[in-house]
Amino acid sequence: MPRWRAAVVLSLCVAPCAAQEPGAVGAPLKRFEEALTAVIAKAERSVVAIRRYARVDPRRNVQAGNRIFLGAGGQADPLRQFRIANEAAPTGFGAGVVVGPGLVLTQYLAIGIDERHTVTTVDGETFEAELIAADPRSSLAALRVASNDPAAERAFNAPAAALGRAEDLVKGRFVVAIGNPLAIESDGQPTASLGVVTNTARRAPLGERFLRSAEDAEGPPRTTLHHQGALIQTDAKLGWNSAGGALVTLDGELVGVLTTAAAIVGHEAPAGYAIPINRAMRRVARALLEGREPEYGLLGIRFQATPPGVTNGVMISDVYAAGPAGRSGLRKQDVVAKVNGESVVDAASLQLLVGSLAPGDEPTISYLRNGREQTTTVRLGKAYVDGPKVATSRQPSWQGLRVDFPTAVPPLVLQAKVQERRLDPEGCVVVSEVEPKSVAWKMGIRPYVYISHVDSERVSTPQEFYAAVKAAPGTARLKFTKPLTAAPRQPTPRQL
């Protein structure tokens, strides 16, 4: 333990310990040390190393790279033969945290969208793992260990970490960072580092790689929720390639998923960062661990600088016609001041508050109009998430097409469709995908057209659409919204 932390602990007991027997001064520190080592010993068993490999054509490499592991006495172990020790050089490393039976939560940076993955436990056992979901907006991903191999699945016995509440963290609270997948790979020894929380709302700077995947690293900057001020900052030292490791409290609860440690311009050089396991991220994690796409709320406005004389809040420069905010009565020049009672400091805080909610949620929005505070309830739309993503548990397509919330299209497309009045203010859904050569494709249906009715039934959400076509006898008649002929004005990409 660093000397300053020992001094802090000792200073707390100097007065009470003054009248005690010699050697008693060290008793509280000894108890602290015993509690800390117990927490690390338990928590590190939930941390695994992740390796990723380029996929190989099985027709050319049927047996290449696989070993049969030997048990005691040199005999082949029928269970461990399912575990992988691939001879090919891995393309990358990371860490992950076991949070359920065979389920690993990790950081988006640690995975490869089109690659094969293995995980290694602290016992030195390696297993194949399937990438079941990846989400660039939260910068989180999920793996399922040995999903196609019942024997290996039974053999994977890494315990699940208990999920904590990052929203309860305060500056100065002790935390332990556990990661270092290279050491886990080599000798089963994760790295543990004690530190304190130094910030609970750090913003990730745009353009930095530590929240981006290997496939995404060279592309244009992408905005995550953490660019709006959601990261935990700690002075606990993070091992190299620890992205996806665990940040735990002294109670042993998982409160964060580590990002890579990086000296960022304008930030403290020794700082480490973690994605918080708070209410919003617990919702995201549940979706990922079920193989689903996490969804994020959208208010449906464009914004501008807050006017002089207004300390906090975001001024609306435009409202999407037929969008969530517009249907709830918000309009240009209104200043959004609070979301569910939480103050809006600036545009980033509004994006974080709205994006932490789900489509269909109905937050109370407090706003200023002509200097008077008013409130309204907005039923949120769905924000479009840019970047490579994975969701293995999806609603089956119907006649080759899939639909989504009407706002779940790229921002420039959405603004163009709004200008064309494609969005029906009474409710509609958008066609998000059409499989080539499917029935829908042959009928001329393409992405980004809007459907308002199935037969005579209005559909406003994907769930309503799929329920309606399932109930239809044999075939269903779809009603599409009609655009205007006037060309839309040039849109701007800033949206909430």
Side-chain angles (χ1 to χ4, degrees), residues 98 144 161 182 184 213-214 249 273 278 296 305 347-348 371 419 456 461 471 473 490:
V98 179
R144 182 183 291 120
L182 298 182
I184 300 174
S213 71
T249 65
Y273 302 92
N278 55 21
Y296 303 91
Q419 294 301 314
S456 60
T461 67
Q490 182 65 35

Side-chain angles (χ1 to χ4, degrees), residues 304-316 333-336 368:
Q304 63 188 45
T306 304
V310 178
T311 305
N312 294 327
V314 172
M315 174 173 276
I316 299 174
Q333 306 304 310
D334 288 343
V335 177
V336 180
L368 300 177

Side-chain angles (χ1 to χ4, degrees), residues 411-434:
L412 295 180
V413 173
L414 175 60
Q415 293 185 32
K417 299 301 181 183
V418 165
Q419 294 301 314
E420 296 171 1
R421 298 187 183 176
R422 289 281 189 115
L423 276 69
D424 190 325
E426 299 299 320
C428 59
V429 294
V430 66
V431 175
S432 57
E433 297 178 43
V434 184

